[in-house]
Amino acid sequence: MKNDTKIEQQLRNILSEEFIDIDPPENFTKNILAKLPEVESRTSHQSFKHICGCMWDKITRPITFSFSPLQLAVVLMVFCGSAVVFAPLNFSKVASRPVTMVKQQPVRFALYDPEQKFSSAVVIGSFNKWQSRGFEMSYDEQQKTWILEHELPEGDYEYVFLVNGESSIPDPRALFYVQDSFGNKNSLIQVGGVRHDL
Amino acid sequence: MRSSNHQSNDAVSDNEVVVSVLKGDTEAYALLITKYQSKIYSIFVRSIRSQAVAAELAQDVFLKAYENLGQYVHDKKFSTWLNAIAINTLRDYWRREGKKNFFTDELDIEQVFYDSSVEACVLGRSIMQIVHELPDLYREALLLRYRDDLPVKEVADSLGIGVSAAKMRLKRGIQIISNAVGVRNEERYKN
């Protein structure tokens, strides 16, 4: 290169001549390919039939509502109050306001637990302010894996799995890890590209 | 066995292969493994003495990449993404081994080459040896920039660090080598 210093030129020559990549042991590719079906079974998205089945179960599952007279009174008061507050608003203006759409990407969290040692698993991270509600994973008997499918806006997110409601563990299959300011190891998911200083 | 740094197999682009794999053609993934196995395996072999451990970690890189192929963004090079996964896997390995500093050690240039290493320099260490002894992040940064001829931005992405951090690694790496060579020459001159 034209602008290289002398030492840079020396480095270029030495590194390209002497630092040659080494072939891995025999059967390297074969070993990886042999493990892919196992990975496939853990990572494959749920089949359409399975998803439909789950949705049908949710729709047809009986739901029981129970509330006290006091709760009913509070709900009625809130309903009446909101009617008074919002009635004078010009809804056509509100409707015509431009809406900024945040691009959501599907993400899938999976925690392989073949012996179902955990009684529960929740994904907590920077996307849900490390709260344990709302990101509960469900156990898939066939895949022997805790799974959560969700959508997140593009960005980098740190997360861990909260298992049994008390212990947090980083995702053993995450691509990237970072350490927080307390020295804890968090997994990192990059939705939509690399932007993070690891 | 040694392998050439120049990769063949470019007839089909990596992105096309990735799309095929994502569509369910699992066997197409073998093309990517074959193309990058030496590069990825060598990152581990340069850092870890055990070839068996290096091979295991390199295999895991390809498996994790496969599992998370949906996270790969096509406006980056696949090789850059794979390299970043390998570097992160290596970093995690050294963390588990309790030797994080071995990987990212923030070098005190003055101390390194005017204290402990002077003796070694006198014994005639080559630039090669110095590069071998650098912490992983410095060595890999130099290799990506000066052997693979990547632009600094791509060096940064391949290491999973920011551009300014990559520039700093390169600058310090060069400085360390310059200092070491300088010290060696001074010693030779004295004698």
Side-chain angles (χ1 to χ4, degrees):
Chain A
M1 293 282 163
K2 268 184 179 178
N3 299 326
D4 277 359
T5 60
K6 194 179 168 189
I7 193 80
E8 284 177 311
Q9 281 170 3
Q10 275 181 305
L11 256 184
R12 268 185 208 284
N13 295 336
I14 290 169
L15 295 184
S16 39
E17 280 169 21
E18 306 286 341
F19 262 89
I20 297 170
D21 286 336
I22 301 162
D23 282 341
E26 274 183 48
N27 296 329
F28 183 84
T29 306
K30 206 173 158 186
N31 288 343
I32 297 171
L33 291 176
K35 287 178 186 168
L36 289 188
E38 188 189 325
V39 172
E40 181 80 21
S41 72
R42 276 187 270 147
T43 57
S44 63
H45 288 272
Q46 292 168 327
S47 66
F48 181 71
K49 196 177 164 188
H50 179 73
I51 292 167
C52 289
C54 290
M55 284 179 70
W56 179 252
D57 284 350
K58 280 183 184 172
I59 294 166
T60 55
R61 192 184 297 157
I63 303 168
T64 310
F65 291 102
S66 61
F67 43 81
S68 67
L70 182 62
Q71 285 170 324
L72 183 63
V74 171
V75 171
L76 282 172
M77 279 172 66
V78 170
F79 179 76
C80 295
S82 61
V84 170
V85 170
F86 290 109
L89 284 179
N90 184 346
F91 280 97
S92 62
K93 276 187 184 175
V94 175
S96 63
R97 198 177 293 159
V99 179
T100 312
M101 296 293 288
V102 179
K103 198 177 173 189
Q104 299 272 337
Q105 303 266 4
V107 289
R108 184 175 191 271
F109 298 97
L111 176 61
Y112 189 49
D113 182 15
E115 291 161 21
Q116 206 174 348
K117 285 181 182 168
F118 307 131
S119 58
S120 68
V122 185
V123 188
I124 57 171
S126 50
F127 45 77
N128 61 3
K129 297 182 180 169
W130 304 93
Q131 298 299 309
S132 58
R133 280 192 183 176
F135 280 73
E136 290 86 358
M137 306 174 89
S138 52
Y139 191 74
D140 185 303
E141 296 281 352
Q142 275 185 332
Q143 299 180 47
K144 300 190 180 306
T145 302
W146 292 91
I147 293 170
L148 175 71
E149 288 179 344
H150 215 275
E151 285 196 332
L152 290 175
E154 287 186 352
D156 293 352
Y157 303 99
E158 289 182 35
Y159 70 99
V160 290
F161 297 132
L162 183 71
V163 295
N164 302 334
E166 53 184 19
S167 312
S168 62
I169 52 171
D171 181 351
R173 303 304 298 162
L175 289 181
F176 303 107
Y177 297 104
V178 288
Q179 275 190 304
D180 66 17
S181 44
F182 302 103
N184 301 314
K185 181 175 144 185
N186 296 333
S187 310
L188 182 83
I189 185 169
Q190 299 181 315
V191 183
V194 178
R195 273 185 293 277
H196 197 96
D197 275 8
L198 299 171
Chain B
M1 193 192 293
R2 286 180 159 195
S3 155
S4 165
N5 290 325
H6 300 286
Q7 306 290 344
S8 57
N9 205 5
D10 284 335
V12 184
S13 79
D14 290 351
N15 282 352
E16 284 173 304
V17 178
V18 169
V19 170
S20 299
V21 176
L22 285 172
K23 282 180 181 168
D25 183 4
T26 309
E27 290 185 9
Y29 196 59
L31 290 173
L32 295 173
I33 301 172
T34 311
K35 188 171 176 182
Y36 294 114
Q37 58 181 5
S38 303
K39 190 173 173 58
I40 297 302
Y41 174 66
S42 298
I43 291 173
F44 292 101
V45 162
R46 282 192 286 269
S47 179
I48 301 166
R49 286 190 181 180
S50 162
Q51 291 189 357
V53 175
E56 200 180 307
L57 291 171
Q59 283 182 11
D60 203 39
V61 168
F62 285 100
L63 288 170
K64 282 199 281 188
Y66 179 83
E67 275 177 62
N68 296 282
L69 213 51
Q71 279 186 48
Y72 166 60
V73 181
H74 291 239
D75 59 358
K76 304 267 180 199
K77 281 188 188 171
F78 181 77
S79 57
T80 303
W81 185 66
L82 199 62
N83 206 95
I85 297 169
I87 291 292
N88 210 261
T89 304
L90 185 59
R91 188 199 315 259
D92 193 49
Y93 170 79
W94 284 121
R95 251 182 219 155
R96 275 186 277 126
E97 293 290 307
K99 292 178 183 171
K100 186 192 167 194
N101 290 343
F102 185 73
F103 182 81
T104 55
D105 202 8
E106 291 303 325
L107 291 171
D108 181 338
I109 296 165
E110 298 296 317
Q111 193 187 349
V112 169
F113 288 98
Y114 290 100
D115 287 354
S116 59
S117 298
V118 170
E119 201 178 329
C121 290
V122 175
L123 294 174
R125 295 189 319 157
S126 65
I127 289 181
M128 269 289 285
Q129 283 170 304
I130 298 162
V131 174
H132 266 298
E133 288 168 17
L134 287 173
D136 295 348
L137 263 189
Y138 288 82
R139 186 181 55 246
E140 294 304 323
L142 291 174
L143 281 171
L144 291 165
R145 181 78 182 107
Y146 296 107
R147 185 194 66 175
D148 300 344
D149 210 17
L150 296 185
V152 177
K153 171 75 175 77
E154 229 170 283
V155 173
D157 286 344
S158 300
L159 297 176
I161 59 179
V163 171
S164 53
K167 279 182 184 169
M168 187 58 78
R169 303 269 172 212
L170 289 167
K171 191 181 164 190
R172 282 189 181 177
I174 293 283
Q175 214 172 340
I176 289 161
I177 293 166
S178 303
N179 285 354
V181 173
V183 169
R184 198 176 59 192
N185 289 340
E186 275 173 29
E187 292 297 331
R188 193 186 294 161
Y189 194 66
K190 276 181 198 170
N191 295 332

